[in-house]
């Protein structure tokens, strides 16, 4: 018996291919162009349920250029945003050091996308603002063009009482 998500997967992959674009000419990573012009990868890795002590190693191993992983998914309720933020910051610093003079390419590394989610107990206008700020603080997101943080709401129907 096939579930609805299983039946929809081939259609969604076809739709993604039709409506997606590729990055630079030398980059065959499948992405989707957001309304703000940013290209977000369609495939990534999730660290939401990963043991916290494994996150730094898994992030550094999977963000290697040969792996073509540029999207990491987590959630506020996974309580690992700070650990993920530190792992991403370490990777970004190492990437910058390598491109500056450590034998790497002179091109800047491609952007990394981090997706996190507002937990349902934090919905409502004021609570959502607090949750977003907490997530950004935990992820140590700086105003950089190298790391984009995307926030998702899982339960869009909520009363702010």
């Amino acid at each position: 018996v096939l579930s609805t998500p299983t039946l929809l997967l081939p259609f969604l992959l076809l739709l993604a291919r039709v409506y997606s674009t590729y990055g630079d000419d030398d980059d065959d990573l499948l992405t989707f162009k957001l309304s703000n012009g940013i290209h977000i990868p369609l495939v990534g890795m999730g660290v939401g349920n990963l043991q916290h002590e494994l996150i730094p190693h898994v992030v550094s191993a999977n963000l290697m250029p040969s792996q073509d992983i540029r999207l990491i998914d987590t959630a506020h309720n996974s309580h690992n945003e700070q650990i993920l933020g530190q792992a991403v910051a370490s990777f970004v610093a190492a990437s910058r050091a390598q491109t500056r003079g450590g034998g790497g390419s002179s091109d800047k590394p491609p952007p990394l996308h981090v997706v996190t989610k507002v937990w349902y107990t934090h919905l409502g206008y004021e609570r959502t603002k607090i949750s977003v700020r907490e997530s950004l603080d935990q992820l140590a997101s700086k105003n950089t063009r190298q790391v984009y943080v995307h926030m998702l709401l899982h339960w869009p129907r909520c009363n702010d009482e």
Side-chain angles (χ1 to χ4, degrees):
V1 174
L2 294 175
S3 66
T4 301
T6 304
L7 293 173
L8 287 176
L9 184 60
F11 173 73
L12 292 174
L13 289 173
L14 175 64
L15 188 66
R17 185 165 286 291
V18 170
Y19 287 101
S20 66
T21 59
Y22 289 96
D24 300 330
D25 293 336
D26 61 341
D27 186 5
D28 61 356
L29 186 67
L30 191 61
T31 63
F32 184 82
K33 186 176 181 181
L34 300 174
S35 61
N36 61 1
I38 294 173
H39 293 257
I40 186 169
L42 292 175
V43 177
M45 67 174 197
V47 297
N49 294 325
L50 194 61
Q51 294 173 1
H52 291 182
E53 62 272 7
L54 296 178
I55 291 173
H57 173 70
V58 169
V59 167
S60 65
N62 284 291
L63 293 182
M64 300 306 293
S66 61
Q67 298 299 323
D68 244 358
I69 302 267
R70 297 191 198 138
L71 177 107
I72 302 173
D73 178 75
T74 190
H76 184 77
N77 200 50
S78 296
H79 307 290
N80 64 8
E81 290 174 327
Q82 184 174 12
I83 298 165
L84 178 59
Q86 292 168 348
V88 167
S90 294
F91 177 79
V92 168
S95 296
R96 285 183 179 157
Q98 185 178 22
T99 58
R100 277 194 209 132
S105 164
S106 61
D107 296 332
K108 68 178 183 171
L112 175 65
H113 300 264
V114 176
V115 176
T116 189
K117 287 151 291 303
V118 175
W119 195 242
Y120 75 95
T121 58
H122 293 93
L123 294 183
Y125 183 73
E126 291 300 324
R127 291 176 291 190
T128 299
K129 285 190 340 185
I130 292 168
S131 180
V132 167
R133 175 54 42 211
E134 287 175 356
S135 289
L136 291 174
D137 288 346
Q138 290 293 312
L139 291 165
S141 175
K142 304 283 189 271
N143 186 12
T144 176
R145 295 195 183 273
Q146 195 165 358
V147 179
Y148 295 105
V149 176
H150 307 274
M151 303 295 297
L152 299 178
L153 302 176
H154 270 242
W155 295 266
R157 290 180 284 177
C158 174
N159 295 327
D160 197 8
E161 299 174 325

Short mmCIF file of all heavy atoms in Angstrom, two decimals, residues 40 74-76 81 114-119 128-137 139 148-154:
data_model
loop_
_atom_site.label_atom_id
_atom_site.label_comp_id
_atom_site.label_asym_id
_atom_site.label_seq_id
_atom_site.Cartn_x
_atom_site.Cartn_y
_atom_site.Cartn_z
N ILE A 40 17.43 28.40 -3.31
CA ILE A 40 17.54 27.49 -2.17
C ILE A 40 17.64 26.06 -2.70
O ILE A 40 16.89 25.67 -3.61
CB ILE A 40 16.36 27.65 -1.19
CG1 ILE A 40 16.57 26.81 0.07
CG2 ILE A 40 15.03 27.35 -1.85
CD1 ILE A 40 15.59 27.12 1.19
N THR A 74 16.61 21.92 10.74
CA THR A 74 16.46 21.64 12.15
C THR A 74 15.15 22.27 12.62
O THR A 74 14.35 22.72 11.81
CB THR A 74 17.67 22.16 12.97
OG1 THR A 74 17.57 21.65 14.29
CG2 THR A 74 17.75 23.67 12.98
N ALA A 75 14.93 22.33 13.92
CA ALA A 75 13.74 22.96 14.48
C ALA A 75 14.07 23.52 15.85
O ALA A 75 14.94 22.99 16.55
CB ALA A 75 12.59 21.97 14.58
N HIS A 76 13.39 24.58 16.21
CA HIS A 76 13.60 25.22 17.52
C HIS A 76 13.43 24.19 18.64
O HIS A 76 14.20 24.17 19.60
CB HIS A 76 12.61 26.38 17.68
CG HIS A 76 12.79 27.17 18.94
ND1 HIS A 76 13.80 28.10 19.07
CD2 HIS A 76 12.11 27.18 20.09
CE1 HIS A 76 13.72 28.66 20.28
NE2 HIS A 76 12.70 28.11 20.91
N GLU A 81 19.91 24.28 18.02
CA GLU A 81 20.25 25.40 17.15
C GLU A 81 21.60 26.03 17.52
O GLU A 81 22.36 26.41 16.63
CB GLU A 81 19.14 26.45 17.17
CG GLU A 81 17.88 25.99 16.49
CD GLU A 81 16.74 26.97 16.62
OE1 GLU A 81 16.64 27.66 17.66
OE2 GLU A 81 15.93 27.04 15.69
N VAL A 114 20.12 27.38 6.18
CA VAL A 114 19.69 26.69 7.38
C VAL A 114 18.19 26.94 7.53
O VAL A 114 17.75 28.09 7.54
CB VAL A 114 20.44 27.20 8.63
CG1 VAL A 114 19.89 26.54 9.89
CG2 VAL A 114 21.94 26.96 8.50
N VAL A 115 17.43 25.87 7.61
CA VAL A 115 15.99 25.96 7.79
C VAL A 115 15.68 25.54 9.21
O VAL A 115 16.13 24.49 9.66
CB VAL A 115 15.23 25.05 6.80
CG1 VAL A 115 13.74 25.09 7.06
CG2 VAL A 115 15.53 25.45 5.37
N THR A 116 14.93 26.36 9.92
CA THR A 116 14.47 26.00 11.25
C THR A 116 12.99 26.33 11.34
O THR A 116 12.45 27.01 10.47
CB THR A 116 15.29 26.70 12.35
OG1 THR A 116 14.94 26.14 13.62
CG2 THR A 116 15.07 28.20 12.36
N LYS A 117 12.35 25.80 12.36
CA LYS A 117 10.91 25.94 12.46
C LYS A 117 10.48 26.50 13.80
O LYS A 117 11.08 26.19 14.82
CB LYS A 117 10.25 24.58 12.22
CG LYS A 117 10.33 24.20 10.77
CD LYS A 117 10.37 22.77 10.47
CE LYS A 117 11.41 21.81 10.72
NZ LYS A 117 12.71 21.82 10.31
N VAL A 118 9.45 27.32 13.75
CA VAL A 118 8.83 27.85 14.97
C VAL A 118 7.92 26.75 15.51
O VAL A 118 7.08 26.22 14.79
CB VAL A 118 8.02 29.12 14.67
CG1 VAL A 118 7.27 29.60 15.90
CG2 VAL A 118 8.94 30.21 14.13
N TRP A 119 8.11 26.40 16.77
CA TRP A 119 7.31 25.34 17.38
C TRP A 119 5.90 25.85 17.64
O TRP A 119 5.68 27.04 17.86
CB TRP A 119 7.99 24.88 18.66
CG TRP A 119 7.46 23.58 19.19
CD1 TRP A 119 6.84 23.37 20.39
CD2 TRP A 119 7.50 22.31 18.53
NE1 TRP A 119 6.50 22.05 20.52
CE2 TRP A 119 6.89 21.37 19.38
CE3 TRP A 119 7.97 21.87 17.30
CZ2 TRP A 119 6.76 20.02 19.06
CZ3 TRP A 119 7.84 20.54 16.97
CH2 TRP A 119 7.24 19.64 17.86
N THR A 128 5.73 34.38 18.20
CA THR A 128 6.52 34.02 17.01
C THR A 128 7.74 34.93 16.88
O THR A 128 8.84 34.46 16.57
CB THR A 128 5.65 34.09 15.74
OG1 THR A 128 4.58 33.15 15.88
CG2 THR A 128 6.46 33.77 14.50
N LYS A 129 7.56 36.23 17.14
CA LYS A 129 8.71 37.15 17.09
C LYS A 129 9.78 36.73 18.09
O LYS A 129 10.97 36.74 17.76
CB LYS A 129 8.26 38.59 17.37
CG LYS A 129 7.53 39.24 16.24
CD LYS A 129 7.26 40.72 16.38
CE LYS A 129 7.31 41.33 17.73
NZ LYS A 129 6.93 42.75 17.80
N ILE A 130 9.37 36.35 19.29
CA ILE A 130 10.33 35.91 20.30
C ILE A 130 11.05 34.64 19.85
O ILE A 130 12.27 34.53 19.96
CB ILE A 130 9.62 35.68 21.66
CG1 ILE A 130 9.14 37.02 22.23
CG2 ILE A 130 10.52 34.95 22.65
CD1 ILE A 130 8.18 36.88 23.40
N SER A 131 10.29 33.69 19.30
CA SER A 131 10.89 32.44 18.83
C SER A 131 11.88 32.66 17.70
O SER A 131 12.96 32.06 17.68
CB SER A 131 9.79 31.48 18.38
OG SER A 131 10.34 30.26 17.93
N VAL A 132 11.54 33.55 16.77
CA VAL A 132 12.45 33.84 15.66
C VAL A 132 13.73 34.47 16.18
O VAL A 132 14.84 34.08 15.80
CB VAL A 132 11.76 34.76 14.61
CG1 VAL A 132 12.76 35.32 13.62
CG2 VAL A 132 10.66 33.99 13.88
N ARG A 133 13.62 35.41 17.10
CA ARG A 133 14.80 36.06 17.68
C ARG A 133 15.66 35.03 18.41
O ARG A 133 16.88 35.02 18.29
CB ARG A 133 14.37 37.20 18.62
CG ARG A 133 15.49 37.88 19.38
CD ARG A 133 16.67 38.42 18.60
NE ARG A 133 16.34 39.11 17.38
CZ ARG A 133 17.15 39.13 16.30
NH1 ARG A 133 18.30 38.52 16.32
NH2 ARG A 133 16.80 39.77 15.22
N GLU A 134 15.02 34.15 19.19
CA GLU A 134 15.78 33.11 19.90
C GLU A 134 16.52 32.20 18.93
O GLU A 134 17.69 31.87 19.14
CB GLU A 134 14.84 32.27 20.78
CG GLU A 134 14.34 32.98 22.01
CD GLU A 134 13.31 32.17 22.79
OE1 GLU A 134 12.92 31.06 22.33
OE2 GLU A 134 12.88 32.64 23.85
N SER A 135 15.83 31.81 17.85
CA SER A 135 16.47 30.94 16.86
C SER A 135 17.65 31.63 16.20
O SER A 135 18.72 31.04 16.04
CB SER A 135 15.47 30.49 15.80
OG SER A 135 14.55 29.58 16.34
N LEU A 136 17.47 32.88 15.81
CA LEU A 136 18.56 33.62 15.17
C LEU A 136 19.73 33.80 16.14
O LEU A 136 20.90 33.67 15.74
CB LEU A 136 18.08 34.97 14.65
CG LEU A 136 17.11 34.90 13.46
CD1 LEU A 136 16.59 36.29 13.13
CD2 LEU A 136 17.76 34.25 12.26
N ASP A 137 19.44 34.07 17.40
CA ASP A 137 20.50 34.19 18.40
C ASP A 137 21.23 32.86 18.59
O ASP A 137 22.47 32.82 18.68
CB ASP A 137 19.95 34.67 19.74
CG ASP A 137 19.53 36.13 19.71
OD1 ASP A 137 19.90 36.86 18.77
OD2 ASP A 137 18.80 36.55 20.64
N LEU A 139 21.43 30.37 16.47
CA LEU A 139 22.17 30.03 15.26
C LEU A 139 23.32 31.00 15.02
O LEU A 139 24.10 30.81 14.09
CB LEU A 139 21.24 30.01 14.06
CG LEU A 139 20.23 28.85 14.06
CD1 LEU A 139 19.13 29.08 13.04
CD2 LEU A 139 20.95 27.53 13.78
N TYR A 148 22.21 31.75 4.92
CA TYR A 148 20.83 32.24 4.96
C TYR A 148 20.06 31.39 5.94
O TYR A 148 20.17 30.16 5.94
CB TYR A 148 20.17 32.12 3.59
CG TYR A 148 20.79 32.98 2.52
CD1 TYR A 148 21.60 32.44 1.54
CD2 TYR A 148 20.54 34.35 2.49
CE1 TYR A 148 22.17 33.23 0.56
CE2 TYR A 148 21.11 35.15 1.52
CZ TYR A 148 21.92 34.59 0.55
OH TYR A 148 22.47 35.38 -0.42
N VAL A 149 19.26 32.04 6.80
CA VAL A 149 18.41 31.31 7.73
C VAL A 149 16.97 31.50 7.28
O VAL A 149 16.52 32.63 7.07
CB VAL A 149 18.58 31.82 9.18
CG1 VAL A 149 17.61 31.12 10.12
CG2 VAL A 149 20.01 31.62 9.65
N HIS A 150 16.25 30.39 7.12
CA HIS A 150 14.86 30.41 6.69
C HIS A 150 14.00 29.91 7.84
O HIS A 150 14.31 28.88 8.45
CB HIS A 150 14.64 29.50 5.47
CG HIS A 150 15.58 29.80 4.34
ND1 HIS A 150 15.31 30.76 3.40
CD2 HIS A 150 16.79 29.28 4.01
CE1 HIS A 150 16.30 30.81 2.53
NE2 HIS A 150 17.22 29.92 2.88
N MET A 151 12.93 30.61 8.15
CA MET A 151 12.03 30.24 9.24
C MET A 151 10.73 29.69 8.66
O MET A 151 10.17 30.29 7.76
CB MET A 151 11.70 31.45 10.12
CG MET A 151 12.90 32.16 10.71
SD MET A 151 13.87 31.19 11.88
CE MET A 151 12.70 30.93 13.16
N LEU A 152 10.26 28.57 9.21
CA LEU A 152 9.00 27.99 8.78
C LEU A 152 8.05 27.92 9.97
O LEU A 152 8.46 27.71 11.10
CB LEU A 152 9.22 26.56 8.26
CG LEU A 152 10.12 26.40 7.04
CD1 LEU A 152 10.27 24.92 6.70
CD2 LEU A 152 9.60 27.17 5.86
N LEU A 153 6.77 28.08 9.67
CA LEU A 153 5.71 27.88 10.66
C LEU A 153 5.01 26.58 10.31
O LEU A 153 4.49 26.43 9.21
CB LEU A 153 4.70 29.03 10.64
CG LEU A 153 5.26 30.42 10.87
CD1 LEU A 153 4.16 31.46 10.71
CD2 LEU A 153 5.87 30.53 12.25
N HIS A 154 4.97 25.64 11.24
CA HIS A 154 4.33 24.36 10.97
C HIS A 154 2.84 24.39 11.15
O HIS A 154 2.11 23.68 10.49
CB HIS A 154 4.93 23.30 11.88
CG HIS A 154 6.10 22.62 11.29
ND1 HIS A 154 6.10 21.28 11.02
CD2 HIS A 154 7.29 23.09 10.88
CE1 HIS A 154 7.26 20.94 10.49
NE2 HIS A 154 7.99 22.03 10.39
#
